[in-house]
Amino acid sequence: MDFIATPLAVSGSAVGGIVPFLVGVVLVGGLIWAVWWGRRLRSRESAPPRPEEQPRLPDSGPVGEVRERREPSEVPRSGNRLNPNQVRAEGNSSSHRAADQEAPTWDENSSGGFGSGGPGRT
């Protein structure tokens, strides 16, 4: 079998190989610049805390969970709409401990939550 050699189109293959190469060079250059910029920004940040600067457990040991019932905050009743600065948020309103600290018990005559499948009160 004889193979027939066909001449390659030099101009088409040269452009077809140079463009992806140049795109690759630009991408690699962009990645190198991004790593350089990131290291430069990281060097400006403060160092992580040393072991002696880390928070420590109290001498009494870890703090346990505290469960208590709190009284709900009253919503102010007014005829006008409230602005966000007029609404008391959880962090800045004083709530107080409820007098009754017992957990609510299940009512035997109740069907449970909405959509629980029970027949409801009959």
Side-chain angles (χ1 to χ4, degrees), residues 25 42 53 67 92 95:
V25 167
R42 182 87 188 250
E53 296 173 343
R67 288 184 169 225
N92 62 6
S95 65

Side-chain angles (χ1 to χ4, degrees), residues 11 22 29 51 111 116:
S11 63
L22 291 178
S111 66
S116 64

Side-chain angles (χ1 to χ4, degrees), residues 39 41 53 76 92 95 105-106:
R39 290 181 58 109
L41 290 177
E53 296 173 343
N92 62 6
S95 65
T105 57
W106 182 259

Side-chain angles (χ1 to χ4, degrees), residues 29-120:
L31 289 173
I32 290 172
W33 176 83
V35 169
W36 171 80
W37 184 257
R39 290 181 58 109
R40 184 175 168 200
L41 290 177
R42 182 87 188 250
S43 68
R44 294 181 192 170
E45 294 177 358
S46 60
R50 296 186 303 266
E52 60 270 6
E53 296 173 343
Q54 296 288 335
R56 302 213 181 269
L57 279 175
D59 293 334
S60 61
V63 179
E65 178 181 350
V66 175
R67 288 184 169 225
E68 65 181 11
R69 293 189 43 161
R70 307 291 288 180
E71 289 289 335
S73 299
E74 290 294 322
V75 177
R77 304 276 183 205
S78 66
N80 301 332
R81 293 178 81 176
L82 296 176
N83 290 330
N85 63 328
Q86 295 171 322
V87 177
R88 287 192 270 165
E90 293 297 321
N92 62 6
S93 66
S94 61
S95 65
H96 54 281
R97 195 168 188 257
D100 180 22
Q101 287 296 311
E102 293 203 19
T105 57
W106 182 259
D107 184 10
E108 293 297 326
N109 295 327
S110 175
S111 66
F114 176 77
S116 64

Side-chain angles (χ1 to χ4, degrees), residues 1-8:
M1 265 182 153
D2 292 328
F3 290 103
I4 301 172
T6 57
L8 296 175

